[in-house]
Amino acid sequence: MMPALKHLVLSLTLPLSISISAQTFETASEAVSNMGIGWNLGNTLESNSGDTTNMWIEQWTARTPSDYENAWGQRPVTRELIHMMKEAGFRAIRVPVSWYPHMGITLSAQCLWKPSEWQPTAVDSVWMERVAEVVGYVLDEGLYCILNVHHDTGAANTAWLRASGRGYAAAEETFRQLWTQIATRFQEADEHLIFEAYNEMLDDYSSWCFASFAAPGNYNATAAADTYQAINQYAATFVETVRATGGNNAQRNLMINTYGACSAHGTWSSHLAEPLTQLILPTDPFGTQEHLMVSVHSYPSLRNNNAFISRTQMEQQNQQQMQVIVNQLQQAKQVPVVIGEWGSSEGTDYNDNRQLYLQFVQDFTTRALAAGLCPMYWMGISDGEDRAVPAITQPDVLQAMFAPTAVDNTPSAPQAQRIFTNGQILILRNGALYTLTGIRIN
């Protein structure tokens, strides 16, 4: 049954009044609860050259959407891939997108890009429609889709969004224009589409862990305060801009990240919790504070001085991570929380210590779900050429991830069960076995 529609006529503290018809959407808390376990469609639509002195994608390709989707070793997204991930049990897929390569960047004869001379244009229409196509694949499966602004942030010199007063002043207009375009394009999408303001936005020093960590002396209180004020300004601008586009965006659930998407993992510095404690939730212009959620990222190390830690140590650090997220965000800010990316910090752990890695995956997922958080894995479940098949690259990781769930996580088939056999995940439904792509095998 379609949700009831209600007509909203609201005057904003903006230059105009807007009349909006919007669905009555579920709250952010309800959405996070319903999202279950999620997956990142990584290294795909967020692929970019990442170096102003070597814009290699722009130099050596025709700059088509498929050129970008292929650039970092993946294959263009298909409807079949998204269906497979749904059948695997995921209820939410995050779609990271980098936008700056598609906003009128021009290169010198030496293949250099000078951001200081950049005059941003509207997002290329071909690129926007490809993003919309992929988002449509996710929504058509009845899954939650998180759409964001990704490698427009980060440590690369191509990142034009910087968390500082100076950075905000320089980027505010373009940031508003970008989110106006995105929100307008997806104005009529239902409640399963969630907008994420920005990914891992860093300060002028490109500090990870907490603001000004990369400054001389590893901390500068004045610079840190400026950074946290700026990240809060970006968050407020994002919410204000999206709401002003009206339609279903009036009540759409919106996600903001902590500074750097930092999650206060560890105890080695007294400043680690600042990205969480200094976050100020925006005042929603439409009064729908219940439609805001926060995201952090978590990549704990499974090693100490290059030696793997024990299972007990791994479980203890996972527990510490969940406790700080719950205490400093979920409870202190009274806001639902998504772990928008997670995995271990070393990319070879799966191969180097398979047993510990699988134990880590199961334990992390178990604790996150128990804490009321939505964990969204980055990203190897289906990787590289396997995405074109499509096929699961790491079935044992998938099995470990869903071990905490006593029932199947597939919304369309709650009676189905996942079976792990001979290195494969199979779906048992009504006595018949199916592959994750829906092919019956008995």
Side-chain angles (χ1 to χ4, degrees), residues 12 14-20 176 179-180 183-184 187 237-247 249-251 254 284-286:
L12 307 178
L14 294 172
L16 68 166
S17 295
I18 302 175
S19 177
I20 302 163
R176 285 185 184 275
W179 268 113
T180 296
T184 300
Q187 187 179 48
T237 297
F238 162 69
V239 172
E240 177 186 276
T241 300
V242 172
R243 293 290 184 241
T245 61
N249 293 332
Q251 296 182 77
L254 304 179
D284 198 315
F286 284 7

Side-chain angles (χ1 to χ4, degrees), residues 27 61 99-100 112-113 135 207 222 232 254 284 296 309 338 438-439:
T27 66
T61 75
W99 298 90
Y100 79 87
L112 305 178
W113 176 45
V135 169
S207 302
T222 300
N232 291 328
L254 304 179
D284 198 315
V296 295
I309 61 178
V338 171
I439 300 174

Side-chain angles (χ1 to χ4, degrees), residues 9-298:
V9 180
L10 297 158
S11 295
L12 307 178
T13 55
L14 294 172
L16 68 166
S17 295
I18 302 175
S19 177
I20 302 163
S21 294
Q23 294 180 358
T24 301
F25 280 9
E26 65 184 358
T27 66
S29 293
E30 291 168 336
V32 170
S33 177
N34 291 334
M35 285 161 65
I37 300 173
W39 177 70
N40 277 271
L41 183 64
N43 290 1
T44 308
L45 294 175
E46 85 277 25
S47 299
N48 68 107
S49 294
D51 183 354
T52 60
T53 67
N54 181 22
M55 302 294 286
W56 59 277
I57 301 177
E58 289 73 22
Q59 181 179 18
W60 299 110
T61 75
R63 300 177 67 171
T64 66
S66 60
D67 289 326
Y68 285 92
E69 290 181 72
N70 287 326
W72 286 6
Q74 303 302 323
R75 294 297 171 260
V77 183
T78 63
R79 187 179 297 275
E80 290 75 18
L81 171 66
I82 301 304
H83 178 73
M84 181 185 72
M85 302 313 286
K86 174 187 177 179
E87 288 296 297
F90 294 103
R91 292 185 189 172
I93 293 181
R94 183 170 177 250
V95 179
V97 180
S98 296
W99 298 90
Y100 79 87
H102 315 284
M103 296 170 62
I105 64 170
T106 57
L107 308 181
S108 71
Q110 294 76 35
C111 198
L112 305 178
W113 176 45
K114 297 181 179 179
S116 61
E117 299 177 3
W118 182 36
Q119 295 183 337
T121 66
V123 176
D124 176 71
S125 61
V126 175
W127 179 254
M128 181 68 84
E129 290 313 302
R130 176 54 179 162
V131 172
E133 184 175 36
V134 173
V135 169
Y137 294 161
V138 179
L139 298 179
D140 288 348
E141 294 290 341
L143 303 177
Y144 288 89
C145 179
I146 298 174
L147 176 64
N148 80 350
V149 171
H150 203 79
H151 284 309
D152 304 83
T153 69
N157 57 15
T158 49
W160 58 276
L161 292 171
R162 288 285 173 173
S164 65
R166 179 177 60 182
Y168 176 77
E172 178 189 2
E173 181 179 356
T174 302
F175 185 66
R176 285 185 184 275
Q177 291 175 351
L178 174 57
W179 268 113
T180 296
Q181 293 173 71
I182 298 170
T184 300
R185 175 60 183 81
F186 296 97
Q187 187 179 48
E188 301 309 317
D190 72 12
E191 65 187 0
H192 290 89
L193 179 61
I194 297 167
F195 292 150
E196 177 188 358
Y198 40 80
N199 182 45
E200 296 167 341
M201 195 186 304
L202 303 180
D203 60 14
D204 291 338
Y205 301 103
S206 294
S207 302
W208 295 104
C209 303
F210 52 84
S212 80
F213 177 46
N218 297 125
Y219 191 73
N220 181 308
T222 300
D226 177 64
T227 287
Y228 294 127
Q229 180 179 10
I231 205 78
N232 291 328
Q233 286 178 302
Y234 278 110
T237 297
F238 162 69
V239 172
E240 177 186 276
T241 300
V242 172
R243 293 290 184 241
T245 61
N248 286 341
N249 293 332
Q251 296 182 77
R252 187 171 309 287
N253 288 320
L254 304 179
M255 178 185 292
I256 62 172
N257 290 2
T258 59
Y259 167 78
C262 299
S263 58
H265 175 70
T267 58
W268 53 270
S269 172
S270 61
H271 301 296
L272 285 168
E274 288 181 3
L276 284 63
T277 61
Q278 296 303 307
L279 179 69
I280 298 176
L281 294 180
T283 299
D284 198 315
F286 284 7
T288 52
Q289 202 77 7
E290 63 185 3
H291 290 294
L292 300 180
M293 62 181 74
V294 173
S295 173
V296 295
H297 298 171
S298 182

Side-chain angles (χ1 to χ4, degrees), residues 334-393:
Q334 289 295 292
V335 65
V337 179
V338 171
I339 303 178
E341 295 181 17
W342 70 276
S344 69
S345 60
E346 287 81 15
T348 61
D349 287 344
Y350 173 77
N351 292 322
D352 293 346
N353 192 333
R354 185 75 54 87
Q355 181 180 26
L356 181 63
Y357 189 80
L358 296 177
Q359 291 168 344
F360 160 70
V361 167
Q362 180 172 343
D363 185 75
F364 191 100
T365 309
T366 301
R367 294 181 189 277
L369 293 174
L373 312 173
C374 169
M376 305 199 71
Y377 186 70
W378 187 279
M379 54 152 237
I381 298 296
S382 183
D383 200 12
E385 295 293 341
D386 281 339
R387 290 197 187 174
V389 178
I392 297 296
T393 306

